[in-house]
Amino acid sequence: MTVQTNTSNHVSNCSGTPAIPETALVVEGGGQRGIFTAGILDSWLDNNFNPFALLIGTSAGAQNLSAYITQQSGYAKKSIMELSNHPAFFNIKHSLIGRNAVDLDWYFQKACEPAYQLNMHCAQTQLQGRQLLFSATNIEDLSPAFLEPTLDNWLTTLKASSALPYLYKKGVEINNQQYVDGGVAVPIPIQEAYQRGAKKILVLRTVATQENIRTPWAHKLKSWVCRSNRCPKMLNIITGHENAYHQAIEFIDRPPEDAQVIEIAPPAKLSSQLIGSDAKALNDDYEMGYEMGLQFLASEYAALFK
């Protein structure tokens, strides 16, 4: 699946700011809650702020990073509000008749249309001196994978990172391997950023800090899937996911001595949900994210990335 260039989506200047070595941006998923992240990243795009040498995103986080690296302010918000809220995208009843409850095929077909195309002109410019990775999960052994998008496979890798198990039944095949949502194996890929040499790591969350004892992603998925008598396999997925989730939280709370970790998280539970959010909730969370992005730029922490 190839991403075409859409000249109508081009911004006037794609040069941006140079990447700073040993810096990383790690972006959590969270379905439609990712609109909070979209607000943060749009505020940074509007202020020409992208100093990161390494960017890693999971699921909705990968989709947000796509808009960030292509410098399309407003793109992620538009996609969440128009595509992920479209009746064609999600219907849990479809799983009862053997169809995909989440229709990623429809979603990524829409992403090829001019109104939703990514700006590959800017992506190619921005990725000079930077590395962008999307996390995914190998369905065979539930091991993490980190996929590097190119002009020819961008939407395919993005689809793999976003393919919720059971809700998108077949997963996504890349190089003879089947992948599902990166949130299964690596919901917050902060350890990977550190292992790749990042010493200053900024993490964007969609879960409030006080909610860290429990991830809403897995339990919402369980509530859907267990209706179809697949609980034993689902419990294995949830167990692996939550172990990885808590390991990431522990890393954020107690990073290695040679690393600095900054977390931006919503101050309380977001109004939006994994899916099925109303327009007001999505707008409110986007505006809060945008304001928190501006607050970060005005804070002393931003100086670490300049």
Side-chain angles (χ1 to χ4, degrees):
M1 186 182 296
T2 302
V3 184
Q4 301 176 8
T5 298
N6 177 17
T7 55
S8 65
N9 279 342
H10 282 184
V11 293
S12 59
N13 179 10
C14 295
S15 59
T17 53
I20 298 175
E22 299 185 345
T23 60
L25 178 64
V26 173
V27 185
E28 183 179 24
Q32 290 184 332
R33 294 184 184 93
I35 202 160
F36 170 77
T37 306
I40 294 173
L41 295 179
D42 280 355
S43 76
W44 293 354
L45 284 174
D46 294 346
N47 286 276
N48 198 31
F49 178 77
N50 181 4
F52 307 103
L54 173 64
L55 305 95
I56 310 180
T58 294
S59 194
Q63 297 185 41
N64 269 306
L65 284 182
S66 292
Y68 187 51
I69 210 71
T70 58
Q71 296 193 333
Q72 289 171 275
S73 181
Y75 176 96
K77 180 185 180 185
K78 176 183 174 73
S79 297
I80 292 170
M81 296 196 71
E82 296 182 6
L83 296 185
S84 73
N85 249 6
H86 194 282
F89 179 62
F90 175 73
N91 188 333
I92 191 60
K93 294 180 180 179
H94 285 171
S95 63
L96 302 177
I97 57 175
R99 295 173 57 188
N100 292 314
V102 174
D103 194 343
L104 286 183
D105 298 330
W106 173 85
Y107 185 98
F108 282 99
Q109 285 170 4
K110 297 294 289 184
C112 292
E113 295 180 1
Y116 298 104
Q117 282 179 4
L118 290 168
N119 186 338
M120 290 295 101
H121 169 71
C122 278
Q124 290 175 308
T125 301
Q126 285 294 295
L127 288 176
Q128 295 177 13
R130 290 184 172 88
Q131 185 176 32
L132 174 65
L133 299 172
F134 301 154
S135 74
T137 302
N138 189 309
I139 196 59
E140 292 299 320
D141 58 4
L142 300 184
S143 61
F146 296 92
L147 310 174
E148 189 163 10
T150 66
L151 181 64
D152 293 328
N153 74 2
W154 198 292
L155 292 186
T156 303
T157 55
L158 195 55
K159 188 176 183 181
S161 184
S162 308
L164 283 168
Y166 298 110
L167 300 186
Y168 184 72
K169 296 179 182 297
K170 58 187 177 181
V172 177
E173 182 176 335
I174 299 175
N175 296 329
N176 298 317
Q177 298 289 324
Q178 292 291 128
Y179 295 101
V180 294
D181 195 294
V184 173
V186 57
I188 310 172
I190 186 169
Q191 297 99 317
E192 185 68 18
Y194 177 73
Q195 290 168 7
R196 289 175 180 261
K199 297 296 187 288
K200 297 179 181 179
I201 306 172
L202 182 55
V203 185
L204 303 186
R205 304 288 311 284
T206 53
V207 176
T209 302
Q210 59 266 36
E211 293 186 85
N212 279 342
I213 58 172
R214 176 179 183 184
T215 166
W217 180 95
H219 290 275
K220 188 64 175 178
L221 187 59
K222 178 185 175 183
S223 72
W224 288 329
V225 173
C226 282
R227 298 174 186 174
S228 55
N229 299 318
R230 290 170 174 159
C231 281
K233 290 183 179 179
M234 190 70 243
L235 289 175
N236 288 338
I237 287 177
I238 290 176
T239 298
H241 162 83
E242 293 203 326
N243 286 340
Y245 179 80
H246 290 300
Q247 288 169 10
I249 297 302
E250 185 175 351
F251 189 101
I252 292 171
D253 291 340
R254 290 179 289 277
E257 291 184 359
D258 63 342
Q260 293 175 288
V261 175
I262 299 170
E263 176 187 70
I264 300 179
K269 185 178 180 180
L270 292 172
S271 300
S272 51
Q273 309 173 65
L274 184 67
I275 202 165
S277 312
D278 63 49
K280 183 180 186 306
L282 292 170
N283 269 310
D284 288 349
D285 288 345
Y286 175 84
E287 293 298 333
M288 179 169 59
Y290 196 98
E291 180 60 31
M292 289 189 71
L294 293 179
Q295 290 174 8
F296 172 81
L297 294 180
S299 74
E300 61 185 27
Y301 300 109
L304 295 173
F305 299 93
K306 295 181 180 178

